Amino acid sequence: MTAPRATIRLQLHAGFTLDDACARVGYYADLGVSHLYLSPITRARAGSTHGYDVIDHGCVNPELGGEPALRRLAQAARGRGLGLIADIVPNHMAAHPDNRWWRDVLAHGAASAHARCFDIDWDPPDAALRGKVLLPVLAEPYGEALARGAIRLRHDPDGGAPALEAAGALYPVAAPSIPRGLSGASLEDMYDPARDAGRRRLHELLERQHYRLAWWRTAPDQINWRRFFEISELVGVRVEDEAVFEAVHAMVLRLYAEGILDGLRIDHIDGLAAPGAYLRRLGQRLARAGEPYVVVEKILAPEESPDPRWRTDGTTGYDFMDQVGALLHAPDAEAPLRVFWQALTGDVRAPREQLEAARRRMLARHFPSERLALARCLARIARQDLRTRDWSAQAIDRALSAVLTAFPVYRSYAEDGGRGEADRRVCRAAFARAAQLLPAPAGGADAALLELLDGWLDGSPGPDPEARALALRRFQQLTPPLAAKALEDTLFYRYGPLLSRNEVGAAPDCFALAPAEFLARTRARAQAHPRAMLATATHDHKRGEDARARLAALSEMPQRWRDTALRWIQALPAANDAPTLADRYLLVQTLVGAWPADWGAGDDMPDDAALADWFGRIGQWQTKALREAKLHTSWTDPDPAYEDAAQGLLDFLRADPAGRGLLEEIAAFAAGLAPAGMVNSLVQTLLRNTLPGVPDLYQGTELWDFSLVDPDNRRPVDYARREALLAQARATSAPDLSDAAWRSGAVKLALIQRLLAARARTPALYAGADCEAVPVHGPRSGQVLAWLRRHADGDALIVAPHLCALALADYARGRADAARGYWADTVLRLPAARWRNALDGRRIAPLADGSLPLAEALRDLPVALCLSGPPGDE
């Protein structure tokens, strides 16, 4: 199989099917991608908009058109030289009766042939749950639901088995629990909850099932099966079991062997019991049909790399998204912006301390069942040795909670003979920090217990290997959801000095990245995983890549931004500090970042209908942000008064005369900042498409992307507009650089098309790992990124500005002649060659001493890709 040259992520659902994707093959081929990268194609719950709630791994989703549509897409793609990569979901399925595996477990309990598919504890401490599956699906406590008639026995008029109706679903009834010889109508009458006797009999019937219906609030404390994160609608799958692996992967392996699929993206690799073993098994199966391309969804800490034992081409690109984002931020802005945030919140704790507080909340209120189950496993290990049997589950839980609070990465990988070197470093840091978090000082009883925990969880052999293996698995499958929910879905909504650094894959204490460090990480990734994806937008991002690029420009003017934002915050109405100053600051950042590029201020303000739609999207984001923060309202305990006050800010801006005046001021600021954001956007676009790795584009982001967190970032794409702009770009030798082209995003689309065309013309140049810094001399030498990729047949020179987007804003106003003067006499020192600008075909002449003036390389655009042949080549 040919490795992908560039990919495009497409979100499939009933509103955008495989046949709809087929209709766009020509567009994406003309844009220059080599592979369509599809969201999950397996059958999901009816109406799913994302596909991760799988109900059948062995079937292409009929809502997407089924396997015939997939084959039509593959054929059309092959006709234009494109391949297909599919996102697969081995970690979880929908915990719903529509899932026949799950339904069979509910019907037959531990005796089900599919019981091995799921991580279910059939012998939990709660005697009422032994042999049962907890189903926390009821909207109210069980007794109230029963009395209200929210649970009923229903017969099938077509003669099928009766079922229990609850929470909008039909659950199976164990056949032996129903009296024989009764008709359907008689059964419903017999178990009628409207009558005392019927309600009593219905309760007795429910008690005889292999599941226990319960109030949804019981899940954190009582759940006895592994979920995806804390989502009780998704059940974990045991693909470490060989039979389960085969059942989950049979269809995708067949499609790969037939050449329908060319590669796979593995969703949430950290959720699996043994990622390394899984990837080896998958790789071996795929290799029977050719060289596989496999990337994994993996969140890496700033200094972390994928486990070198893994058989994978790399990650899906969150690491690159974080690094290129940090590169766009001025480090000197971090301190003043953090001080400003602390003044708004009154919270002076370091980001790490705030993250630890979020982790403690998650452990206490969202994952107590998982935490206590792990503590019980460790207590069992302690009881095997007379020297450790005195340690109680309670003491172990206290020390364990400190370790979980301090754990600095998503998980450890103590398989294949125990911890690797990277794991050992991580665990040393985690246990050292845990000792500081515990009340007892180092050297006390808790310190001794921490040492024991470290040994029990290191993957080494010991007494009762079954208990050790279970404890390690529970630990390694608890830290990933804990990390994600504490950081991405809590702290990133309650800590906001600058929201452009609150993104999937980022760390709250990593604000900026120096060019030398960025280049070092780029080269390290290229050496280890030269075919890893490079992403700047995904279906999971919290705000669009161009919203982040615009907000990053604020780091070049922190004092002006602080003064401006404070004035707006104080002008927004609030009663009794609701919404708080901090929440108002998060809102004004969002308004500035998400203001569309083709909107202006004053006479250029959009009409009321467009503004109403935009405010609807902002309102949806705001509600989610407030609930995820869990400070004043939450998903589990919403505070309508606080949420109404927050909505009142949007109503004020839309309808109140004073609010409209403030909105126009915000709009004018956003419109003025927009050109600098566009400069930053082109920088990250250039780097994604030219540095070592596989550039991954997210649907629709060929134009400016100011989307917000899902579901906003999965809105329909206006393909007609993009196709028209692409046709115009391909019809001209040089991109349109007019003000209108900048505002529409046509400049960005043309840049992507030309960069991908350059990759297609000379793929060998981009396949290597070489990337070296170019010497820069002159007054702006500190504001330039200049890197060289070398090959025997020629070189590629990558040139972009660094932390001077405000000064170069005239590029994005269609006034390149004014902008290029910024570069003054700054030059690049390059090897002797004849250079050509890949974006417009223009020859670039070096000076007599061989140096290349930046004003010449960046004559018309703030970025450049220059290509050369050997000396003397024309």
Side-chain angles (χ1 to χ4, degrees):
M1 186 212 79
T2 302
R5 186 179 65 250
T7 60
I8 174 69
R9 167 76 179 205
L10 301 180
Q11 292 299 115
L12 302 171
H13 48 79
F16 187 81
T17 67
L18 291 160
D19 283 321
D20 292 320
C22 192
R24 305 302 171 192
V25 165
Y27 165 71
Y28 283 119
D30 289 344
L31 185 65
V33 302
S34 67
H35 287 71
L36 306 182
Y37 158 30
L38 309 176
S39 64
I41 58 174
T42 44
R43 186 172 189 174
R45 286 193 61 190
S48 175
T49 59
H50 50 76
Y52 291 102
D53 43 358
V54 179
I55 62 172
D56 188 348
H57 285 287
C59 170
V60 176
N61 196 341
E63 290 192 355
L64 306 181
E67 191 165 324
L70 178 64
R71 290 179 178 276
R72 288 192 294 272
L73 175 59
Q75 183 178 14
R78 295 288 183 274
R80 290 300 307 270
L82 305 186
L84 301 182
I85 297 170
D87 188 350
I88 65 170
V89 193
N91 175 66
H92 56 268
M93 298 181 75
H96 190 274
D98 289 347
N99 176 351
R100 60 184 177 83
W101 292 1
W102 185 244
R103 184 179 184 86
D104 195 71
V105 170
L106 300 183
H108 300 101
S112 166
H114 298 292
R116 68 192 298 174
C117 298
F118 308 109
D119 266 327
I120 301 170
D121 183 357
W122 295 105
D123 189 26
D126 186 347
L129 269 177
R130 287 171 191 164
K132 295 179 181 288
V133 173
L134 183 76
L135 290 186
V137 297
L138 301 176
E140 56 203 331
Y142 168 77
E144 294 178 19
L146 189 67
R148 193 171 60 82
I151 307 172
R152 290 183 173 274
L153 185 69
R154 295 296 191 193
H155 79 279
D156 185 344
D158 296 326
L164 285 160
E165 181 182 52
L170 292 174
Y171 295 90
V173 177
S177 66
I178 292 285
R180 295 184 178 183
L182 293 176
S183 68
S186 299
L187 281 174
E188 287 196 10
D189 183 65
M190 181 178 178
Y191 295 99
D192 184 359
R195 298 183 302 172
D196 290 345
R199 189 162 55 251
R200 185 185 68 253
R201 283 191 290 267
L202 180 59
H203 168 66
E204 292 170 353
L205 175 66
L206 287 163
E207 291 292 283
R208 293 194 293 272
Q209 303 311 306
H210 296 290
Y211 53 87
R212 185 181 187 191
L213 293 174
W215 190 21
W216 66 271
R217 286 185 180 273
T218 65
D221 295 307
Q222 298 183 34
I223 200 81
N224 66 328
W225 43 274
R226 182 171 62 88
R227 302 172 287 173
F228 172 70
F229 289 7
E230 57 173 348
I231 303 173
S232 299
E233 291 77 25
L234 297 174
V235 57
V237 175
R238 297 184 61 252
V239 289
E240 64 270 23
D241 182 294
E242 186 173 357
V244 177
F245 176 93
E246 294 299 329
V248 167
H249 295 86
M251 182 185 73
V252 295
L253 289 172
R254 172 175 59 82
L255 294 172
Y256 180 80
E258 293 179 22
I260 301 300
L261 299 179
D262 299 281
L264 299 176
R265 179 257 200 196
I266 313 303
D267 180 65
H268 188 45
I269 191 72
D270 281 340
L272 305 182
Y278 168 84
L279 289 168
R280 280 197 304 276
R281 177 180 284 166
L282 180 65
Q284 289 164 0
R285 294 299 307 278
L286 292 170
R288 296 176 187 176
E291 182 188 2
Y293 179 74
V294 176
V295 288
V296 297
E297 183 196 29
K298 165 65 185 158
I299 306 296
L300 297 167
E303 303 298 330
E304 188 184 12
S305 300
D307 193 307
R309 297 170 292 184
W310 286 3
R311 185 169 177 172
T312 175
D313 287 287
T315 75
T316 56
Y318 294 132
D319 47 334
F320 177 81
M321 183 162 68
D322 170 49
Q323 293 161 15
V324 77
L327 182 69
L328 298 178
H329 286 72
D332 291 345
E334 181 179 14
L337 290 175
R338 183 177 292 180
V339 168
F340 181 52
W341 177 256
Q342 290 172 342
L344 295 176
T345 62
D347 189 343
V348 298
R349 292 175 298 170
R352 183 180 73 168
E353 295 176 276
Q354 296 186 48
L355 177 58
E356 290 172 346
R359 280 175 167 261
R360 282 192 292 269
R361 176 191 169 111
M362 299 307 299
L363 285 168
R365 298 178 60 175
H366 296 256
F367 297 108
S369 180
E370 292 87 348
R371 189 194 83 238
L372 293 173
L374 172 55
R376 289 191 296 270
C377 286
L378 293 165
R380 174 183 166 183
I381 297 171
R383 289 194 296 269
Q384 304 306 307
D385 191 324
L386 297 179
R387 293 168 296 181
T388 59
R389 73 174 190 178
D390 290 342
W391 290 112
S392 67
Q394 291 80 5
I396 289 173
D397 179 44
R398 183 175 64 251
L400 173 66
S401 294
V403 175
L404 292 168
T405 298
F407 209 73
V409 296
Y410 259 55
R411 65 169 282 173
S412 68
Y413 305 95
E415 55 176 307
D416 298 327
R419 295 172 181 158
E421 179 53 38
D423 275 343
R424 286 193 285 271
R425 288 195 301 269
V426 163
C427 290
R428 280 196 298 269
F431 280 90
R433 177 58 179 164
Q436 297 173 347
L437 295 175
L438 285 166
D446 282 334
L449 181 51
L450 286 175
E451 186 175 351
L452 287 171
L453 292 181
D454 193 12
W456 292 338
L457 295 171
D458 70 358
S460 60
D464 199 349
E466 181 181 339
R468 284 175 175 255
L470 178 60
L472 178 60
R473 176 169 61 80
R474 287 189 182 276
F475 177 74
Q476 293 186 147
Q477 289 183 310
L478 173 55
T479 57
L482 174 62
K485 298 304 295 183
L487 177 58
E488 296 168 30
D489 293 341
T490 301
L491 187 62
F492 277 165
Y493 289 99
R494 58 166 64 170
Y495 178 77
L498 201 58
L499 288 178
S500 44
R501 291 301 295 133
N502 288 18
E503 192 49 81
V504 179
D509 53 0
C510 180
F511 183 80
L513 197 62
E517 180 61 25
F518 175 85
L519 182 59
R521 296 187 188 186
T522 295
R523 299 178 74 174
R525 178 172 50 247
Q527 289 292 336
H529 297 102
R531 303 197 302 185
M533 283 184 172
L534 309 180
T536 51
T538 76
H539 60 289
D540 279 333
H541 66 233
K542 297 191 180 300
R543 50 195 48 82
E545 63 184 30
D546 300 309
R548 297 196 307 272
R550 183 185 294 173
L551 292 175
L554 295 174
S555 70
E556 298 179 27
M557 45 178 271
Q559 189 58 54
R560 179 187 165 201
W561 167 242
R562 286 172 45 173
D563 295 343
T564 302
L566 182 60
R567 186 174 69 254
W568 293 343
I569 292 167
Q570 293 172 337
L572 287 168
N576 300 318
D577 200 31
T580 63
L581 294 171
D583 285 338
R584 280 177 267 166
Y585 178 53
L586 298 182
L587 174 61
V588 298
Q589 286 189 71
T590 300
L591 296 175
V592 168
W595 190 256
D598 54 354
W599 289 4
D603 293 339
D604 288 334
M605 289 281 282
D607 60 36
D608 288 343
L611 202 56
D613 177 72
W614 185 73
F615 267 112
R617 293 170 48 214
I618 297 292
Q620 186 179 47
W621 161 83
Q622 181 174 244
T623 298
K624 181 169 184 172
L626 294 172
R627 290 182 178 182
E628 294 284 16
K630 307 172 190 68
L631 292 174
H632 308 289
T633 184
S634 68
W635 295 109
T636 55
D637 295 289
D639 184 335
Y642 193 87
E643 292 181 10
D644 287 347
Q647 178 61 41
L649 301 182
L650 305 184
D651 296 339
F652 169 74
L653 292 168
R654 274 195 61 200
D656 187 281
R660 287 292 294 221
L662 179 59
L663 178 63
E664 291 204 9
E665 185 179 339
I666 294 172
F669 184 93
L673 184 66
M678 294 170 186
V679 171
N680 276 339
S681 175
L682 294 199
V683 172
Q684 67 182 1
T685 299
L686 174 78
L687 299 183
R688 184 186 71 234
N689 288 287
T690 57
L691 292 180
V694 177
D696 174 46
L697 185 69
Y698 180 63
Q699 62 175 30
T701 60
E702 308 92 296
L703 302 183
W704 304 128
D705 175 32
F706 303 105
S707 61
L708 301 168
V709 70
D710 65 276
D712 191 71
N713 59 13
R714 304 176 191 181
R715 288 178 296 135
V717 176
D718 184 350
Y719 279 105
R721 183 184 182 205
R722 286 160 176 77
E723 288 168 345
L725 290 174
L726 179 60
Q728 294 171 18
R730 284 166 51 84
T732 58
S733 58
D736 178 3
L737 301 179
S738 66
D739 180 63
W742 280 97
R743 287 175 59 133
S744 71
V747 170
K748 181 183 178 185
L749 184 147
L751 176 63
I752 293 170
Q753 185 270 322
R754 283 160 167 76
L755 294 175
L756 293 182
R759 290 184 77 101
R761 283 194 298 270
T762 54
L765 174 58
Y766 298 91
D770 287 349
C771 194
E772 61 188 63
V774 172
V776 187
H777 299 277
R780 304 298 185 190
S781 59
Q783 277 66 57
V784 183
L785 306 172
W787 296 315
L788 198 63
R789 300 194 64 182
R790 313 203 69 174
H791 187 265
D793 295 333
D795 301 334
L797 171 66
I798 304 160
V799 186
H802 184 233
L803 304 184
C804 53
L806 292 175
L808 300 178
D810 274 338
Y811 275 118
R813 297 187 179 104
R815 300 199 295 265
D817 54 339
R820 77 174 72 102
Y822 174 81
W823 299 116
D825 297 323
T826 308
V827 297
L828 307 176
R829 299 293 184 187
L830 294 165
R834 295 181 181 273
W835 296 96
R836 176 177 53 82
N837 189 322
L839 306 182
D840 59 13
R842 178 173 53 91
R843 289 288 184 182
I844 302 177
L847 299 176
D849 62 0
S851 63
L852 182 64
L854 268 179
E856 178 63 17
L858 303 178
R859 189 187 73 179
D860 301 316
L861 277 169
V863 299
L865 172 65
C866 301
L867 304 177
S868 77
D873 177 53
E874 291 297 334

